[in-house]
Amino acid sequence: MDNEKQRYKELGDFLKSRRAKILPSQVGLPEGIRRRTPGLRREEVALLSGIGLTWYTWIEQGRPIQISSQILESLARTLMLDRHETKHLYTLAQHTPPVGFPICNDTVNPMLQHVLDNLEFSPATILDVRFNVISWNRAAAKILFDYGKINASKRNLLRIMFTNEEYKKIIADWEITAQEMIASFRTFYVNFIGNPWIEDFINELRSESKEFDSWWSMHDVKKDEGILKTINHPVLGQLKFEFTSYVVISDSNLKLSVLTAIPGSDAEEKIKQFLLR
């Protein structure tokens, strides 16, 4: 077997070995009773990664397929690869490993999730530096947006802001908020110009959203800061929040964002009654 064929075979075998280690419950899937093999099925990996089953099957079979950096990124997230495993995956696929580039992780420390869950009446999310939504609480799903409805490979707040019509409707002053998010994202982008993932991501959004394409060209820069945000909830109507965000000390690649109803406002009482019923 020549080196090229061996490389593709090694890539397929590596992916098979990693999916065998992931429990369905770890990615929000039911265990089922008729699993003939341990771990995830091929179709589950394909679905969670946002790629076709046939195409993913060919990869595992060792066929000579060119894989984009975005697909590698999605596979690394779905299979919960650590930094060393992710570097190995990129190398096998003959891509430049994301050296120095923050690796995505689809899970948070249980204690951090506990903090989220105990913010009972405040919609809260955990984002990584790429604006991927890593975790959220019940208040966020009920009051803001149920991120669980979106495939994990597409669960990026910047992408959702510009391509999800349901999300757009709930954001009052959408244009202002969207432009502020672009400006905030650019502070991350500037440190990784030329990275395959980030360039592919930006080009995709520019092709999918004329607003993003136009506003990205403005080169505005802005840091997150405490501000007021207004949400148009389909049941509760207009809700006003204080928005604050905090870097997670145990992992500086993560940020906790919290929407807190303005004290004494009708939003505070509306949310409590809505979530407790």
Side-chain angles (χ1 to χ4, degrees):
M1 183 180 295
D2 60 38
N3 291 341
E4 196 71 6
K5 288 183 178 180
Q6 180 62 37
R7 179 184 294 275
Y8 285 117
K9 182 181 183 303
E10 187 74 17
L11 172 60
D13 290 345
F14 178 66
L15 290 173
K16 283 186 283 187
S17 71
R18 296 308 98 172
R19 72 175 168 88
K21 292 186 174 184
I22 304 297
L23 296 175
S25 59
Q26 290 180 276
V27 292
L29 295 174
E31 292 289 349
I33 58 175
R34 294 187 177 181
R35 289 184 177 270
R36 293 177 295 176
T37 58
L40 298 179
R41 300 185 178 105
R42 283 177 176 171
E43 55 266 33
E44 292 168 336
V45 174
L47 176 64
L48 292 169
S49 302
I51 61 179
L53 172 58
T54 299
W55 202 71
Y56 177 73
T57 299
W58 288 348
I59 297 174
E60 281 203 0
Q61 290 174 344
R63 299 199 188 190
I65 296 174
Q66 296 301 312
I67 310 174
S68 71
S69 59
Q70 278 194 296
I71 293 299
L72 293 174
E73 161 77 14
S74 294
L75 289 172
R77 292 183 66 195
T78 298
L79 299 173
M80 300 181 181
L81 303 186
D82 62 24
R83 185 174 298 276
H84 298 293
E85 291 170 326
T86 299
K87 181 178 180 181
H88 185 64
L89 174 65
Y90 274 71
T91 302
L92 286 172
Q94 301 186 73
H95 275 263
T96 302
V99 178
F101 193 63
I103 300 299
C104 288
N105 194 335
D106 274 336
T107 59
V108 298
N109 183 296
M111 287 190 291
L112 189 55
Q113 183 63 51
H114 189 220
V115 172
L116 279 182
D117 294 339
N118 275 271
L119 293 170
E120 189 176 2
F121 303 117
S122 295
T125 56
I126 298 289
L127 303 182
D128 67 14
V129 290
R130 306 191 200 187
F131 284 40
N132 291 317
V133 182
I134 304 302
S135 190
W136 58 95
N137 63 4
R138 178 174 177 269
K142 294 291 186 179
I143 301 297
L144 186 58
F145 188 75
D146 187 358
Y147 300 103
K149 296 190 301 184
I150 298 179
N151 187 288
S153 65
K154 303 294 184 182
R155 204 176 290 150
N156 179 282
L157 192 58
L158 194 61
R159 182 190 295 280
I160 295 169
M161 175 67 78
F162 282 92
T163 65
N164 189 288
E165 294 303 319
E166 180 185 346
Y167 192 81
K168 286 183 179 182
K169 290 178 182 178
I170 67 173
I171 305 297
D173 300 320
W174 177 83
E175 289 193 5
I176 295 174
T177 303
Q179 289 182 59
E180 289 176 344
M181 187 174 290
I182 287 181
S184 179
F185 184 78
R186 193 176 279 278
T187 62
F188 161 72
Y189 168 81
V190 72
N191 295 310
F192 301 99
I193 293 174
N195 177 275
W197 180 89
I198 202 167
E199 297 300 340
D200 287 348
F201 178 70
I202 294 300
N203 289 334
E204 251 189 46
L205 280 184
R206 297 190 76 163
S207 67
E208 293 176 6
S209 168
K210 66 180 186 300
E211 293 92 349
F212 181 87
D213 183 46
S214 174
W215 296 336
W216 182 254
S217 301
M218 294 167 61
H219 291 267
D220 289 339
V221 179
K222 180 182 177 66
K223 290 280 189 180
D224 281 341
E225 52 190 28
I227 55 177
L228 299 181
K229 288 186 180 290
T230 303
I231 301 299
N232 294 321
H233 192 271
V235 176
L236 302 179
Q238 193 173 87
L239 304 171
K240 293 185 180 294
F241 294 94
E242 296 172 341
F243 171 80
T244 52
S245 61
Y246 314 87
V247 174
V248 177
I249 297 300
S250 59
D251 186 344
S252 59
N253 287 326
L254 299 179
K255 182 168 59 178
L256 167 64
S257 297
V258 183
L259 291 174
T260 306
I262 297 175
S265 69
D266 63 342
E268 189 174 33
E269 188 58 33
K270 283 181 180 179
I271 291 171
K272 287 182 179 180
Q273 291 183 8
F274 183 71
L275 294 179
L276 289 175
R277 70 183 184 184

